[in-house]
Amino acid sequence: PALDPRLPALAAHSAEAGIRLRPLDPADFERELERIYDVVAAGFAGNFLYTPLARAEFLAQYAPIRPHIRPETALIAEQAGRAVGFAFALPDLAQAQRGEPMDTLILKTIAVRPEAAGLGLGSLLAARVHEAASELGFRHVIHALMHADNRSRRISAHYQAAEMRRYTLFSCPLDAD
């Protein structure tokens, strides 16, 4: 699919704000995760059902996927040397487990610090991940796990992305009787 036609303007606007995008450095993986953690904590703080993880738990959660990360699809947005956003995508490992060629990339997370919101940075990060995915030979990108009311769904709409699955949360009272 064609990229969002707003991208040249978004890239220019981000550059004017002193923001640059760079790939995650796998040789400095733990430090990069530390920087990403701070963006997650700030960027998701007000999201529905977001529960913060302790820093150590966050780092431990990402450690197993380290060998599967493609730096071109894990991007960090920096402003004055500080991480203000990131996009994190990995190949669909389930395809390999099924013996299929891995032609799908899962865009797992996009986060932007509140002070960098409104610049179109999330859209720019998504577009750069899509560009990298195409250059790497992926044929599909899944925008994963979005709440129905999350504004990141607007980013997916620019790619004519179609909903492929819905999840429902269930609750039941636990009576002490």
Side-chain angles (χ1 to χ4, degrees), residues 131-172:
E131 287 175 340
S134 179
E135 290 168 9
L136 292 168
F138 290 99
R139 295 181 58 232
H140 309 279
V141 177
I142 294 173
H143 294 200
L145 302 174
M146 292 184 208
H147 185 272
D149 294 331
N150 193 298
R151 64 181 174 211
S152 62
R153 290 176 60 104
R154 289 187 300 229
I155 294 170
S156 297
H158 290 287
Y159 296 93
Q160 292 79 47
E163 187 176 289
M164 53 187 281
R165 241 180 243 125
R166 281 187 168 256
Y167 296 92
T168 303
L169 299 175
F170 292 91
S171 166
C172 66

Side-chain angles (χ1 to χ4, degrees), residues 1-7 10-11 14 19 21-22 72-77 85-90 105-112 119-135 138 140-144 146 151-161:
L3 291 178
D4 185 341
R6 304 171 306 145
L7 288 179
L10 294 174
S14 290
I19 296 173
L21 305 186
R22 69 167 177 83
E72 307 94 324
T73 64
L75 304 175
I76 298 175
F86 79 96
F88 194 83
L90 1 143
L105 188 74
I106 300 172
L107 181 49
K108 181 189 173 303
T109 307
I110 295 176
V112 174
L119 297 173
L121 188 52
S123 293
L124 182 60
L125 285 161
R128 296 295 182 241
V129 167
H130 274 257
E131 287 175 340
S134 179
E135 290 168 9
F138 290 99
H140 309 279
V141 177
I142 294 173
H143 294 200
M146 292 184 208
R151 64 181 174 211
S152 62
R153 290 176 60 104
R154 289 187 300 229
I155 294 170
S156 297
H158 290 287
Y159 296 93
Q160 292 79 47

Side-chain angles (χ1 to χ4, degrees), residues 50-67:
Y50 172 69
T51 303
L53 292 174
R55 189 177 296 268
E57 189 177 350
F58 177 83
L59 299 175
Q61 199 174 65
Y62 279 86
I65 60 173
R66 182 180 189 168

